[in-house]
């Protein structure tokens, strides 16, 4: 059993903290939203009065916050978490943030720190089946791995500080582009008189196969659990995909790399958001690609 501080108890952090408590760890949590803190308390998390208080005395301190700005502020700014944490503690940021901020915060906290963004969404957080992509020192990873395993199925060490965020950003750029082109294929097939099921049967056994097709199939029918079967309720909201694509473009600009398909994917998701798609699953972009249908 470990003493764990957990800050950011929202859609993802709430169930993650709950799973740590269920696994027998002593979890102290904090969120600026009182309702989120109360929900976590009802699930076995000891509520703290501030982020610094949650960090104090813990062996592992985790954050699950919206973006880089909040992460920097919580650890190094007004949150004061780094200074309040035990010098021997392992700090773990599970938020999805830009690579540059992840590296900057890890270099400044003065403690071993891991960036450990996740995939698997809210369902994965609830079922403790997340995938963690982890950057940071190997010895800190070895210490934190059993803690992360209480919340996830796959825990992958990707390299030094920022490597977890780098892996996440590259993966989600591929995910967005494959989803868009899969949607385009279904729209083209409709115009060519080919049924959804026939295209699915061929592509899922051919080189057009992908996770976007086999798990999040953007038309109703072939994959009964995909969001297309429930009017594109998420799933993985288009707004979050646009955020992740923005981070990928930031990383590409900073690294001087051209990613034209990633850039185009971001432009298309931004257009989808402007047309009211923010809350829809990211596969709902097929409606825009059909021309508003
Ligand atoms: P969320 O908005 O539901 O939760 C974030 C929580 O952080 C909120 O409860 C908010 O009140 C709290 N918070 C903000 N600033 C704070 C501060 N200074 N101190 C304490 N608490 C603070 O968001 P979420 O869906 O849980 O996502 C969290 C992170 O996980 C994001 O970076 C997101 O991109 C990433 N992510 C989300 C999903 C998903 O499907 N929701 C999937 C993978 C990754």
């Amino acid at each position: 059993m470990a003493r764990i501080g957990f800050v950011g108890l929202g859609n993802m952090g709430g169930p993650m903290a709950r799973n740590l408590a269920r696994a027998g760890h002593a979890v102290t949590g904090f969120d600026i939203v009182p309702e989120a803190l109360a929900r976590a308390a009802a699930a076995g998390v000891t509520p703290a009065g501030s982020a610094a208080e949650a960090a104090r005395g813990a062996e592992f301190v985790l954050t699950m916050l919206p973006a880089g700005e909040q992460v920097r502020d919580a650890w190094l700014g007004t949150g004061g978490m780094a200074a309040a944490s035990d010098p021997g503690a392992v700090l773990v940021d599970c938020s999805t943030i830009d690579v540059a901020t992840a590296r900057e915060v890890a270099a400044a906290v003065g403690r071993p720190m891991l960036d450990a963004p996740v995939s698997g969404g809210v369902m994965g957080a609830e079922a403790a089946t997340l995938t963690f992509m982890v950057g940071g020192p190997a010895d800190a990873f070895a210490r934190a791995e059993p803690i992360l395993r209480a919340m996830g199925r796959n825990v992958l060490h990707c390299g030094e500080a920022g490597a977890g965020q780098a892996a996440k950003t590259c993966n989600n750029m591929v995910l967005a582009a494959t989803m868009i082109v899969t949607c385009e294929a279904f729209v083209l097939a409709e115009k060519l008189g080919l049924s959804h099921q026939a295209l699915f049967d061929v592509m899922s056994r051919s080189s057009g196969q992908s996770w976007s097709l086999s798990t999040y199939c953007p038309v109703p029918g072939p994959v009964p659990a995909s969001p297309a079967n429930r009017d594109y309720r998420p799933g993985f909201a288009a707004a979050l995909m646009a955020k992740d694509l923005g981070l990928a473009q930031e990383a590409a600009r900073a690294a001087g790399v051209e990613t034209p398909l990633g850039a185009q994917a971001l432009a298309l998701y931004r257009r989808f958001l402007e047309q009211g798609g923010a809350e829809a699953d990211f596969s709902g972009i097929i409606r825009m690609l059909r021309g508003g249908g």
Side-chain angles (χ1 to χ4, degrees), residues 69-112:
E69 194 188 326
Q70 289 87 12
V71 170
R72 187 191 290 107
D73 188 57
W75 287 110
L76 303 171
T78 56
M81 291 175 65
S85 68
D86 193 292
V90 176
L91 315 183
V92 188
D93 177 41
C94 298
S95 327
T96 302
I97 69 170
D98 58 289
V99 175
T101 301
R103 290 188 172 143
E104 175 202 322
V105 173
V109 286
R111 317 265 187 274

Side-chain angles (χ1 to χ4, degrees), residues 104-288:
E104 175 202 322
V105 173
V109 286
R111 317 265 187 274
M113 183 164 195
L114 303 169
D115 50 293
V118 302
S119 72
V122 176
M123 275 157 58
E126 279 168 358
T129 55
L130 294 168
T131 292
F132 286 88
M133 301 152 239
V134 189
D139 50 347
F141 174 78
R143 283 172 62 196
E145 193 181 359
I147 304 299
L148 301 180
R149 286 211 177 275
M151 301 179 284
R153 188 180 280 158
N154 301 302
V155 181
L156 305 166
H157 190 214
C158 302
E160 290 304 315
Q165 299 294 352
K168 166 99 184 168
T169 218
C170 291
N171 180 72
N172 279 22
M173 187 171 75
V174 172
L175 172 62
T178 55
M179 177 56 82
I180 291 167
V181 78
T182 301
C183 291
E184 289 178 355
F186 276 106
V187 173
L188 178 60
E190 286 164 7
K191 296 292 181 204
L192 297 177
L194 180 64
S195 75
H196 290 161
Q197 190 64 49
L199 180 62
F200 177 85
D201 289 344
V202 169
M203 281 214 297
S204 58
R205 291 173 181 80
S206 310
S207 40
Q209 201 276 337
S210 70
W211 190 90
S212 294
L213 179 74
S214 60
T215 306
Y216 264 54
C217 184
V219 294
V223 178
S226 82
N229 297 280
R230 41 175 208 268
D231 201 26
Y232 299 98
R233 281 195 307 279
F236 182 41
L240 284 176
M241 177 50 93
K243 173 198 164 186
D244 290 357
L245 285 167
L247 295 177
Q249 286 307 293
E250 240 177 84
R253 255 193 312 278
V257 174
E258 259 192 73
T259 53
L261 274 182
Q264 185 62 20
L266 175 59
L268 287 168
Y269 272 104
R270 282 196 174 143
R271 176 140 58 94
F272 185 49
L273 263 48
E274 279 161 20
Q275 294 182 6
E279 306 284 318
D281 184 73
F282 80 119
S283 60
I285 198 167
I286 192 170
R287 289 177 158 168
M288 184 183 87

